[in-house]
Amino acid sequence: MGKKYIDVMDTTFRDGFQSVFGGRVLMDDFLPAIDAAKEAGITHFEFGGGARFQSLFFYLRENAFDMMDKFREKAGNKANLQILARGINTVMLDTASREMIDLFAKLFAKHGTTTVRNFDALNDIDNLVESGAAIKKYGMKHEVVITIMDLPPGCEGAHTVEFYEKKLREILDKGIEFDSLAFKDATGTANPQKVYETIKMARKLLGDDVHIRLHTHETAGISVAAYLAALEAGVDGIDLAAAPVSGGTSQPDIITLLHAVKGKPYDLGGLDMEKVMKYEDTLKECLKEYFFPPEATQVNPIIPFSPMPGGALTANTQMMRDNKILHKFPEVIKAMREVVEKGGYGTSVTPVSQFYWQQAFNNVMFGPWKKIAPGYGKMVLGYFGKTPVRPDEEIIKFASEQLGLEPTTENPLDIADRDETKSIKYWENRLKEENIEITDENIFIAASCGDKGIAFLKGESPLMVRKNEEEVCNMPRKTSGVYTVIVDGEKFTVEVHEGKEAGNPKAPIKVEENQISDEASSGMTEIRATVPGNVWKILKNPGDKVKKGEKIMILEAMKMEIDVNAPHDGVIAHIAVKVNDQVEEGQVLATMEEA
């Protein structure tokens, strides 16, 4: 009896890069590896979408659509090039309008996409209807997804085989057209027995002709066992990555699975181990200058308790590393458990995983349940769709009070369609205002990336690539800004500017009267950063009158906007930072005096 052919999708260039480098790999650095992958016989690639869309504009000064075009040129016309999409979010972190969903599908089809893996983190099947129809409208294959994981011990009500069967039946009942079905485990926590029973259930329900896949990560240490269970249950396809971006937070290695199925009745894509080894050698050479975060190559035994996706883990730890708070990571990852338990059991995959992480981060940095993360709050209030179970009532109340929003059961797409800032017309006008060429691509870049997309299109976006350790250590650090110094026992707030004077030991330190700290001048209040981050927006100027609680500026930390509010009524005396400045916890951001 012949071996069953198993389709292998190579996730190296999307999920592999995301799981190890937070998506920050330059196109010219990895293109030679595509040739090597082809030589190894690989024809199915994950080549874009997910976080590997926005990250190119945010950090790499590269256009994701150009990257997709070059990838298609390298891979050839017959390759199955697949992207990851988040249902009504598409490749955004927020809900898109219906016209933006249509534009997403139009553009990704135009730029070489064969298949769209389409998921909703809440497993709200209504959120897959519009996007699924748009994918098929533009001639792409639709891989519909049920997102899976294991709940923390003691939790119940979702993420069982019965729960997944209910979701699959909803997909069928709603008449969503699809070409394949994937069970996506971004955390790698779904235990092998449940994986086996879930695949068996789906095969029985769909029959033998529907292509069924499993996607998982090695983060919790059970990915190979999960894949073997899935193969035994009758799965048709699995996702693997190539070293050095395999294992750890990523997918298991291609060679590892080729070894694991020796003697078993499975043919993994017709791949030859020796040829794959040559491909991996080429990839290692391509990536030899890149900095590999230690946490990206490790299995984390706490992940089943606090399910953090491999694709998000290193992106978050790298942000913490940049802001010198990596020592807080163990506390934040432990705090995720309670956040998941109280949040309604949405699957921990983008964007819900980021909501979980942000709320856990807030609970560590500001105190338990003192500050709601906007995404988490809107999720428990229903603004992204229905959570699998109802969130904790106290958390719903807490979110409603802090965000000033009432719980809703309205279709998120109807809410998005009413939002002017999610319309094509709005972004056409923004492009006009910025003197940027109006194209479908530019509209979508601006809409999906906001002000950072506009900065990219104007040639003003930063280049933030982490390569070898020397380069990481020599990354530009903020030296300009306002600092408190002690001179002869007195405290002063001084302003330091980068430039020629910075290297001149004789350059005088200039101290202005309105920069004196509250301890050196009565009636003056220093407003300090409560968390490290970057200055996103400055809303007030010196001389402006403000009321207690009024926003003075907004920081960006861990992909969140952190409001900096006036502690009392008064007048802004001095703004101590500039937009895009990196600030540390406790750093002076502004000073104000009482009215």
Side-chain angles (χ1 to χ4, degrees):
M1 184 176 179
K3 293 185 175 183
K4 179 180 178 180
Y5 182 88
I6 304 297
D7 179 75
V8 172
M9 180 169 73
D10 183 353
T11 60
T12 297
F13 303 98
R14 208 294 301 174
D15 209 340
F17 286 173
Q18 177 62 31
S19 298
V20 177
F21 304 118
R24 303 187 196 186
V25 181
L26 294 164
M27 177 172 57
D28 288 342
D29 288 342
F30 73 77
L31 283 177
I34 301 174
D35 292 326
K38 286 173 60 181
E39 287 295 319
I42 295 170
T43 60
H44 189 179
F45 298 91
E46 189 179 37
F47 83 131
R52 268 287 290 176
F53 182 78
Q54 289 174 321
S55 64
L56 273 68
F57 301 106
F58 286 3
Y59 308 118
L60 302 183
R61 294 179 183 165
E62 291 185 348
N63 190 317
F65 294 120
D66 292 343
M67 182 278 292
M68 293 165 68
D69 291 342
K70 289 190 178 181
F71 202 114
R72 170 57 75 185
E73 182 181 340
K74 278 277 188 183
N77 293 329
K78 294 182 179 180
N80 182 359
L81 300 188
Q82 186 161 320
I83 66 115
L84 184 67
R86 309 175 186 120
I88 57 174
N89 296 66
T90 66
V91 291
M92 307 177 184
L93 288 175
D94 198 3
T95 305
S97 62
R98 286 180 172 87
E99 63 180 10
M100 281 296 176
I101 291 174
D102 186 81
L103 183 59
F104 149 78
K106 176 183 177 182
L107 288 173
F108 276 73
K110 175 183 175 181
H111 290 281
T113 303
T114 309
T115 304
V116 179
R117 175 174 286 173
N118 187 34
F119 75 90
D120 180 66
L122 298 180
N123 278 314
D124 184 342
I125 305 305
D126 286 337
N127 287 347
L128 299 175
V129 174
E130 193 83 20
S131 52
I135 290 163
K136 295 301 296 181
K137 172 183 174 181
Y138 288 99
M140 295 178 289
K141 293 181 179 180
H142 181 209
E143 184 163 280
V144 73
V145 176
I146 295 173
T147 57
I148 67 175
M149 68 176 187
D150 266 18
L151 291 173
C155 297
E156 57 184 24
H159 292 288
T160 61
V161 178
E162 293 74 22
F163 172 77
Y164 301 140
E165 180 175 353
K166 177 183 175 183
K167 293 302 167 183
L168 180 52
R169 290 185 182 278
E170 285 182 37
I171 290 170
L172 297 173
D173 290 345
K174 290 183 183 297
I176 297 174
E177 187 179 355
F178 62 92
D179 300 276
S180 55
L181 167 70
F183 290 97
K184 177 177 173 62
D185 182 5
T187 61
T189 58
N191 69 80
Q193 183 61 29
K194 185 172 75 174
V195 167
Y196 175 83
E197 293 175 6
T198 298
I199 300 295
K200 278 286 192 183
M201 172 274 296
R203 179 59 71 208
K204 181 177 180 181
L205 198 57
L206 297 176
D208 294 334
D209 295 334
V210 176
H211 185 90
I212 301 175
R213 304 187 66 87
L214 176 67
H215 169 94
T216 191
H217 288 245
E218 178 60 7
T219 322
I222 57 171
S223 66
V224 174
Y227 275 146
L228 291 176
L231 289 169
E232 187 179 348
V235 83
D236 300 302
I238 59 176
D239 297 353
L240 302 173
V245 294
S246 57
T249 55
S250 181
Q251 280 70 59
D253 192 86
I254 299 169
I255 292 176
T256 299
L257 257 293
L258 287 170
H259 182 67
V261 299
K262 285 178 180 176
K264 293 182 177 293
Y266 312 116
D267 173 6
L268 297 191
L271 299 178
D272 177 84
M273 196 176 291
E274 295 290 343
K275 291 181 179 180
V276 174
M277 286 177 67
K278 290 181 180 179
Y279 160 39
E280 294 195 346
D281 286 342
T282 302
L283 184 64
K284 289 171 186 174
E285 181 66 20
C286 290
L287 301 175
K288 66 181 181 181
E289 294 182 353
Y290 281 79
F291 170 65
F292 284 75
E295 63 275 11
T297 61
Q298 298 171 354
V299 167
N300 192 329
I302 201 174
I303 294 300
F305 297 86
S306 299
M308 166 54 65
L313 190 150
T314 45
N316 288 323
T317 57
Q318 288 286 49
M319 283 189 284
M320 298 184 88
R321 182 176 278 110
D322 288 346
N323 289 296
K324 303 180 181 66
I325 53 170
L326 186 58
H327 60 284
K328 293 284 188 180
F329 173 70
E331 293 179 63
V332 178
I333 200 72
K334 286 183 179 179
M336 267 192 68
R337 177 175 180 170
E338 182 183 18
V339 170
V340 173
E341 290 173 348
K342 293 178 180 285
Y345 301 161
T347 314
S348 192
V349 60
T350 306
V352 168
S353 59
Q354 198 62 25
F355 300 159
Y356 287 154
W357 174 263
Q358 289 166 346
Q359 189 58 56
F361 179 82
N362 281 359
N363 286 358
V364 169
M365 302 301 290
F366 300 106
W369 304 107
K370 299 294 184 185
K371 182 177 178 63
I372 195 74
Y376 184 83
K378 290 177 70 176
M379 178 186 73
V380 301
L381 292 173
Y383 285 85
F384 297 108
K386 301 183 295 293
T387 53
V389 301
R390 185 169 174 81
D392 182 271
E393 294 297 335
E394 287 299 314
I395 300 304
I396 293 174
K397 180 181 178 183
F398 169 57
S400 181
E401 291 172 350
Q402 285 220 352
L403 297 179
L405 294 171
E406 292 297 319
T408 184
T409 57
E410 188 178 5
N411 186 331
L413 285 176
D414 292 337
I415 299 173
D417 283 346
R418 292 198 303 270
D419 187 341
E420 179 191 6
T421 66
K422 295 181 179 182
S423 69
I424 289 175
K425 188 67 176 176
Y426 174 86
W427 291 104
E428 285 179 343
N429 290 334
R430 278 294 305 274
L431 294 179
K432 285 180 183 177
E433 291 170 4
E434 301 288 350
N435 294 315
I436 297 170
E437 182 184 6
I438 297 175
T439 65
D440 284 347
E441 285 82 355
N442 287 353
I443 290 168
F444 192 79
I445 290 166
S448 57
C449 300
D451 288 341
K452 290 184 178 180
I454 295 292
F456 167 81
L457 293 170
K458 293 173 70 175
E460 298 173 357
S461 57
L463 179 63
M464 300 174 66
V465 182
R466 303 178 182 94
K467 289 202 172 180
N468 57 52
E469 291 188 20
E470 181 180 351
E471 229 175 304
V472 171
C473 292
N474 292 328
M475 286 176 67
R477 287 185 171 86
K478 177 182 177 293
T479 56
S480 63
V482 172
Y483 300 87
T484 300
V485 299
I486 300 175
V487 180
D488 294 333
E490 290 189 80
K491 287 189 177 182
F492 297 91
T493 301
V494 299
E495 187 168 8
V496 179
H497 292 279
E498 293 179 357
K500 293 180 180 179
E501 292 91 347
N504 181 2
K506 295 183 180 180
I509 296 175
K510 298 178 181 179
V511 182
E512 299 179 9
E513 288 183 7
N514 66 358
Q515 293 175 308
I516 299 174
S517 73
D518 58 340
E519 292 189 63
S521 173
S522 60
M524 193 71 72
T525 302
E526 290 179 341
I527 301 171
R528 297 176 179 270
T530 54
V531 293
N534 296 297
V535 179
W536 178 234
K537 293 179 181 178
I538 296 176
L539 307 175
K540 300 296 179 183
N541 297 307
D544 287 351
K545 292 183 179 180
V546 293
K547 293 289 186 182
K548 180 180 179 180
E550 193 172 350
K551 292 181 187 178
I552 296 172
M553 66 182 69
I554 302 173
L555 302 183
E556 182 186 46
M558 307 305 294
K559 296 186 180 179
M560 286 185 293
E561 293 183 3
I562 306 293
D563 294 341
V564 178
N565 301 319
H568 53 70
D569 293 354
V571 177
I572 300 298
H574 182 70
I575 299 294
V577 291
K578 304 185 298 298
V579 171
N580 293 327
D581 276 357
Q582 185 174 335
V583 299
E584 298 178 1
E585 183 179 1
Q587 182 175 329
V588 175
L589 304 175
T591 57
M592 63 178 291
E593 52 191 345
E594 295 181 4

